[in-house]
């Protein structure tokens, strides 16, 4: 996973620049006020701080839709250029108006980076470590703050500190970021697949994963192109064909799927389970039709139960459930391996199939040229069982499931204990005509009867429980069924992408539900008090005597203010490191439910400390400890998790638009909280402000408990399917 890690670190430098900028302007404004005599004009001072927020809000408005159209990487490159140019303009700034313009331009870069870096990391990271890698932007942002405060403190000790130099230094790390985005960062493989650029996507995945065989993940990315679909939940028992006991009557034979293994005599039967309304025994509250019932908490969102029961089934396995039965994926290996030659490429296998043409596909050699399923003979000639799986056919069969890069797939494990498969069915309808269909299946291994040693297939009397999310494939074109007598028509990814994301897709039940969660958690994060506590921290530390101590050793008040802010930021870094370690072990939801009560307690202590006369020393000690605890636990949970969730819960086709909406909510909330804080302090006092923040945190805890699902270790495409099935009316 080194490739994905290095790419995530490089991308998160955009957030480091945001943190750097926030710190430099906070320190530089102390000297800007002196030069331009702004002590009597707080409006202009406020504009210097606010222009970057305004610029970020403007670019966030369109960044999502543009990134869905042109890609994530080009906008990250533009972001680095904007950072660099704004730094040069701030270094030059001859007057306050040019400075305000530079701050606005700087905000454009901030908006692009903050919106797109979490999306980019989510789309490139393996599902098992996606949460940890997506905590890097939070770590980089705080790291940027700390490094900037160190530079500012050194500059503040100069005889004549130069605020232009403080702000202009931003251009140096921006240039480094620009070089990384140009020469190192690849395009998101999910975005490439959405545009039909399959060869490029495969090459990027091979680089990120450090292996040649990425066919399973390529297949997953293609299946993630759909937004709408009627997803149902089914349960299967999988076992050796000659051992699986059928106790449901002879009629069940018609519902069985045969799964072929890599050996000539190795096969399994997948038999639907009747009489249980569960996604396996792990998802007992969920019926086969996707409705949820018998919940233990009446007000809890059914989606929370649906997600949670997957993780509760095998909690000791964390997000690495796919490693317990490594050969479960061998059931899904496919047909005969085609040897590569020097002339071989990803499309050559399909080009030879003249009977099954690809509709409306050009000759661009970088794109997939033929349907993803290759049929060489008719279904009638093959004498397939009534409900035969296309997961794998015997080596002698001429029906093949090809990987989405042209290679025969050896395993379609997609992470988090999930497997991707397809089912081809052919039946005689009531009118005598043949009814054909293709279904996409996400299988999740639930358990095994007895023990299953690593690397061995189920022995006599053993079987595997598998839950399944069943839906139409993303590229399945049912209306073209009658055009081809030899199988289902598959549209090309570029055809699906040509339509582009549509605003009406935002009103699909699953997308709408995800948007409500994303917007809600972003609003609550902003109103949970982080800006107020940051604003109050220098005053608290001053009361604790830190500034007096620094003055005694010759540090000026301005330098002391910068140093105090730097020390405060330094305390956050170890806490974010803990969050990175726990994000994919404990999970996003668990971290929020653990840290928010601690935020509430620390805010209540601050309220009491400001209402009750305890003496100066006791007040300072309680306030300092409470602020430190608040900072540390905020950056462990409420800091990184909202952005991580928003980058995970939307389908690929609308992910850019949706996360832009959530980011827009973030910036509007930031502006409202920042400018309402002085008014609230005048109206309610410090105790009243912290009391309001505590109430918001209580509401946030209830919202997370009732509405926010656990997404750790799950592929993004499976998360989108869960939202679709859990949001059904």
């Amino acid at each position: 996973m080194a490739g994905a890690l290095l790419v995530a670190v490089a991308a998160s430098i955009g957030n480091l620049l945001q943190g750097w900028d926030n710190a430099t302007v906070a320190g530089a404004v102390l000297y800007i006020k002196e030069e331009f005599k702004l002590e009597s004009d707080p409006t202009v001072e406020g504009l210097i701080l606010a222009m970057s927020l305004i610029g970020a809000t403007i670019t966030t408005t369109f960044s999502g839709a543009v990134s869905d159209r042109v890609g994530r990487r080009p906008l990250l490159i533009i972001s680095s250029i904007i950072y660099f140019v704004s730094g040069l303009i701030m270094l030059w700034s001859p007057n306050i108006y040019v400075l305000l313009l530079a701050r606005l331009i700087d905000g454009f870069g901030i908006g692009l980076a903050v919106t797109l870096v979490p999306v980019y990391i989510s789309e490139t990271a393996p599902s098992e470590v996606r949460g940890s890698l997506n905590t890097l932007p939070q770590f980089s942002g705080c790291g940027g703050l700390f490094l900037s405060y160190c530079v500012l403190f050194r500059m503040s000790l100069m005889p004549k500190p130069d605020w232009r130099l403080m702000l202009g230094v931003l251009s140096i790390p921006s240039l480094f970021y620009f070089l990384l985005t140009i020469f190192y960062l690849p395009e998101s493989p999910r975005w490439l697949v959405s545009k039909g650029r399959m060869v490029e996507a495969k090459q990027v995945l091979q680089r990120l994963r450090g292996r040649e065989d990425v066919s399973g993940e390529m297949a997953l990315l293609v299946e993630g192109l759909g937004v709408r679909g009627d997803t149902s939940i089914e349960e299967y028992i999988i076992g050796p064909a000659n051992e699986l006991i059928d106790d449901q009557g002879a009629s069940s034979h018609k519902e069985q799927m045969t799964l072929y293994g890599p050996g000539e005599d190795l096969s399994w039967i997948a038999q639907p389970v009747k009489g249980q309304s569960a996604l396996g025994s792990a998802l007992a509250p969920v019926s086969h039709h996707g409705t949820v019932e018998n919940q233990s908490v009446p007000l809890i969102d059914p989606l929370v139960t649906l997600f949670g029961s997957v993780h509760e089934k095998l909690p000791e396995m964390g997000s690495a459930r796919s490693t317990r039965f490594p050969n479960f994926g061998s059931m899904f290996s496919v047909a005969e391996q085609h040897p590569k030659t020097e002339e071989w490429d990803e499309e050559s296998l399909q080009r030879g199939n003249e009977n099954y043409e690809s509709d409306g596909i050009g000759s661009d050699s970088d794109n997939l040229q033929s349907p993803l399923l290759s049929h060489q003979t008719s279904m009638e000639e093959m004498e397939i069982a009534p409900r035969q799986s296309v997961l794998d056919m015997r080596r002698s069969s001429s029906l093949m499931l090809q990987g989405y890069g042209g290679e025969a797939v050896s395993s379609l494990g997609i992470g988090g204990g999930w497997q991707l498969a397809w089912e081809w069915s052919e039946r005689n309808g009531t009118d005598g005509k043949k009814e054909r269909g293709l279904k996409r299946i996400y299988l999740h291994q639930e358990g095994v009867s007895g023990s299953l040693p690593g690397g061995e297939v189920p022995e006599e009397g053993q079987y595997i429980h598998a839950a399944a999310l069943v839906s139409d494939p993303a590229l399945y074109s049912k209306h073209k069924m009658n055009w081809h007598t030899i199988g289902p028509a598959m549209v090309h990814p570029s055809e699906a992408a040509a339509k582009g994301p549509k605003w009406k897709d935002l009103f699909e039940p699953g997308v709408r539900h995800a948007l409500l969660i994303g917007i809600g958690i972003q609003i609550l994060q902003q109103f949970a008090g982080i800006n107020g506590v940051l604003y109050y921290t220098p005053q608290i530390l001053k009361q604790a005597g830190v500034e007096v101590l620094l003055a005694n050793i010759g540090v000026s008040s301005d330098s002391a203010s910068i140093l105090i802010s730097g020390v405060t930021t330094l305390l956050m870094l170890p806490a974010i490191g803990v969050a990175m370690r726990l994000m994919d072990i404990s999970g996003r939801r668990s971290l929020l439910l653990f840290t928010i009560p601690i935020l509430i307690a620390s805010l209540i202590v601050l309220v009491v400390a400001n209402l009750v006369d305890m003496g100066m020393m006791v007040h300072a000690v309680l306030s300092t400890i409470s602020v430190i605890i608040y900072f540390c636990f905020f950056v462990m949970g409420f800091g990184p998790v909202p952005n991580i969730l928003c980058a995970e819960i939307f389908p690929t086709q609308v992910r850019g638009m949706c996360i832009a909406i959530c980011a827009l909510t973030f910036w509007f909330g930031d502006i409202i909280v920042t400018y309402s804080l002085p008014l609230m302090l005048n109206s309610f006092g410090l105790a009243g402000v912290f009391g309001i923040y505590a109430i918001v945190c209580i509401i946030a805890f209830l919202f997370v408990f009732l509405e926010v699902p656990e997404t750790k270790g799950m592929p993004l495409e499976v998360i989108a399917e869960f939202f679709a099935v859990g949001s059904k009316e």
Side-chain angles (χ1 to χ4, degrees):
M1 297 184 183
L5 171 62
L6 293 176
V7 164
V9 169
S12 68
I13 293 177
N15 294 80
L16 183 145
L17 296 178
Q18 179 211 4
W20 183 291
D21 176 76
N22 289 344
T24 52
V25 72
V29 75
L30 300 173
Y31 306 100
I32 294 173
K33 288 191 298 183
E34 294 179 7
E35 179 172 333
F36 295 108
K37 306 297 187 292
L38 299 180
E39 290 84 355
S40 59
D41 194 356
T43 302
V44 177
E45 179 185 349
L47 277 176
I48 294 173
L49 300 174
M51 289 303 285
S52 62
L53 293 179
I54 296 172
T57 304
I58 292 172
T59 52
T60 299
T61 304
F62 63 83
S63 62
V66 174
S67 71
D68 284 337
R69 184 171 297 275
V70 304
R72 322 309 191 198
R73 179 172 174 266
L75 292 190
L76 292 179
I77 294 174
I78 293 173
S79 171
S80 66
I81 295 173
I82 292 174
Y83 274 129
F84 179 74
V85 172
S86 66
L88 292 180
I89 297 176
M90 287 187 286
L91 180 64
W92 168 62
S93 298
N95 54 56
I96 195 67
Y97 302 106
V98 174
L99 176 60
L100 291 175
L101 175 62
R103 296 295 302 153
L104 179 67
I105 296 173
D106 181 59
F108 294 157
I110 291 174
L112 292 177
V114 171
T115 303
L116 295 177
V117 168
V119 177
Y120 181 83
I121 294 177
S122 285
E123 292 185 343
T124 56
S127 58
E128 290 82 1
V129 294
R130 187 178 60 242
S132 297
L133 295 186
N134 232 338
T135 311
L136 280 172
Q138 178 85 9
F139 188 87
S140 297
C142 286
L145 283 168
F146 177 69
L147 292 175
S148 180
Y149 280 130
C150 291
V151 174
L152 285 174
F153 178 71
R154 177 65 185 87
M155 290 183 175
S156 70
L157 298 179
M158 298 169 60
K160 293 186 65 176
D162 187 350
W163 62 264
R164 290 178 177 83
L165 185 60
M166 292 179 179
L167 295 176
V169 170
L170 176 68
S171 295
I172 298 176
S174 299
L175 181 60
F176 178 64
Y177 186 45
F178 171 74
L179 295 176
L180 283 177
T181 56
I182 288 288
F183 298 109
Y184 186 74
L185 290 187
E187 181 54 86
S188 160
R190 281 178 167 83
W191 184 85
L192 290 172
V193 166
S194 75
K195 300 304 177 185
R197 294 158 64 175
M198 309 298 290
V199 174
E200 293 177 62
K202 180 183 177 183
Q203 291 170 347
V204 171
L205 274 180
Q206 288 173 332
R207 170 186 165 188
L208 292 174
R209 304 296 180 256
R211 63 175 186 270
E212 289 295 318
D213 182 11
V214 292
S215 300
E217 192 165 356
M218 285 292 292
L220 173 69
L221 302 194
V222 172
E223 289 301 333
L225 295 179
V227 175
R228 297 180 295 275
D230 186 15
T231 304
S232 62
I233 297 175
E234 298 180 7
E235 181 185 357
Y236 297 96
I237 291 180
I238 301 175
N242 59 340
E243 296 291 344
L244 191 62
I245 300 174
D246 179 12
D247 58 358
Q248 301 186 34
S251 62
S252 64
H253 286 289
K254 298 180 179 180
E255 300 178 348
Q256 291 179 351
M257 292 191 298
T258 303
L259 313 179
Y260 290 102
E264 285 290 332
D265 300 320
L266 193 58
S267 62
W268 293 266
I269 293 292
Q271 181 172 301
V273 175
K274 295 183 178 180
Q276 295 187 22
S277 58
L279 215 178
S281 56
L283 301 183
V286 187
S287 73
H288 287 280
H289 302 290
T291 58
V292 180
E293 54 196 12
N294 300 326
Q295 300 180 73
S296 57
V297 181
L299 296 178
I300 199 168
D301 192 320
L303 200 64
V304 175
T305 306
L306 184 64
F307 274 88
S309 37
V310 173
H311 302 290
E312 290 166 6
K313 177 63 179 177
L314 296 172
E316 75 281 359
M317 299 171 69
S319 62
R321 282 183 294 275
S322 59
T323 61
R324 181 167 181 178
F325 303 110
N327 264 19
F328 185 54
S330 67
M331 297 181 182
F332 307 132
S333 60
V334 301
E336 136 186 42
Q337 300 285 334
H338 292 262
K340 291 187 179 182
T341 64
E342 292 182 1
E343 292 78 20
W344 184 93
D345 64 23
E346 282 76 1
E347 286 80 42
S348 60
L349 287 176
Q350 286 92 347
R351 288 195 188 110
N353 183 4
E354 300 177 356
N355 296 327
Y356 194 60
E357 60 181 296
S358 180
D359 301 294
I361 299 174
S363 59
D364 183 10
S365 61
D366 286 338
N367 291 334
L368 194 66
Q369 297 297 317
S370 298
L372 303 177
L373 286 178
S374 177
H375 291 63
Q376 296 177 350
T377 58
S378 69
M379 300 296 293
E380 290 83 353
E381 294 171 354
M382 294 176 57
E383 298 179 358
I384 299 180
R387 196 179 183 206
Q388 181 69 44
S389 170
V390 298
L391 306 177
D392 176 53
M393 308 308 287
R394 291 190 184 277
R395 298 174 188 271
S396 59
S397 172
S398 57
L399 174 64
M400 300 179 295
L401 174 62
Q402 298 293 346
Y404 288 96
E407 296 179 352
V409 184
S410 60
S411 173
L412 290 185
I414 56 176
W418 292 87
Q419 300 280 343
L420 173 60
W422 294 265
E423 176 201 345
W424 165 254
S425 61
E426 189 173 276
R427 299 182 179 86
N428 290 323
T430 55
D431 55 359
K433 294 182 179 180
K434 286 197 173 183
E435 297 178 354
R436 296 165 176 164
L438 185 67
K439 292 291 185 182
R440 192 256 354 267
I441 303 175
Y442 291 128
L443 280 168
H444 184 265
Q445 181 177 322
E446 297 296 305
V448 63
S449 173
S451 60
L452 187 64
E456 295 185 12
V457 300
E459 299 176 355
E460 182 176 354
Q462 292 184 330
Y463 54 87
I464 292 174
H465 287 278
L469 293 171
V470 182
S471 182
D472 291 329
L475 305 183
Y476 175 51
S477 181
K478 195 169 184 178
H479 71 278
K480 294 184 181 180
M481 285 287 290
N482 295 328
W483 298 11
H484 304 278
T485 60
I486 56 174
M490 303 290 285
V491 299
H492 190 268
S494 59
E495 291 185 45
K499 303 173 184 177
K502 298 179 180 179
W503 286 102
K504 67 178 183 180
D505 291 335
L506 301 181
F507 297 97
E508 287 295 315
V511 178
R512 185 175 67 242
H513 195 160
L515 266 177
L516 292 175
I517 292 174
I519 292 173
I521 199 167
Q522 290 284 4
I523 291 174
L524 291 169
Q525 181 207 48
Q526 284 304 301
F527 286 88
I530 183 63
N531 288 332
V533 177
L534 280 171
Y535 178 86
Y536 182 51
T537 298
Q539 181 179 340
I540 292 174
L541 296 180
K542 182 177 180 180
Q543 291 175 348
V546 175
E547 187 170 322
V548 175
L549 178 63
L550 293 174
N552 291 335
I553 60 175
V555 178
S556 67
S557 60
D558 289 340
S559 298
S561 176
I562 294 172
L563 182 60
I564 289 170
S565 298
V567 172
T568 303
T569 304
L570 179 62
L571 295 173
M572 299 181 187
L573 294 176
I576 300 174
V578 173
M580 291 177 65
R581 180 70 179 91
L582 297 178
M583 196 64 68
D584 289 306
I585 298 176
S586 300
R588 295 83 159 124
R589 173 182 165 87
S590 298
L591 276 177
L592 287 175
L593 293 178
F594 171 71
T595 57
I596 292 177
I598 298 176
L599 301 183
I600 296 170
S602 60
L603 288 169
I604 290 175
V605 171
L606 286 172
V607 171
V608 173
N610 282 277
L611 287 178
V612 180
D613 187 7
M614 303 178 179
M616 183 64 72
M617 183 56 66
V618 175
H619 176 271
V621 170
L622 281 178
S623 298
T624 302
I625 293 175
S626 297
V627 165
I628 292 174
I629 291 175
Y630 180 92
F631 279 143
C632 292
F633 284 91
F634 186 91
V635 297
M636 282 180 61
F638 231 158
V641 169
N643 284 339
I644 293 175
L645 280 175
C646 289
E648 292 178 331
I649 59 180
F650 303 112
T652 300
Q653 286 286 71
V654 295
R655 184 172 293 123
M657 285 197 303
C658 291
I659 200 169
I661 293 172
C662 294
L664 203 57
T665 305
F666 168 86
W667 289 118
F668 276 127
D670 193 1
I671 293 172
I672 292 171
V673 170
T674 300
Y675 284 93
S676 65
L677 181 60
L679 297 175
M680 293 172 64
L681 286 171
N682 290 332
S683 301
F684 307 111
L686 275 174
V689 170
F690 289 134
I692 293 172
Y693 291 156
I695 292 173
V696 173
C697 286
I698 293 172
I699 296 173
F701 179 84
L702 295 175
F703 179 80
V704 171
F705 180 75
L706 297 176
E707 297 291 337
V708 177
E710 180 56 75
T711 58
K712 67 173 181 178
M714 298 178 68
L716 297 181
E717 290 72 17
V718 175
I719 292 173
E721 288 291 324
F722 266 69
F723 268 93
V725 74
S727 302
K728 284 184 179 180
E729 295 182 356

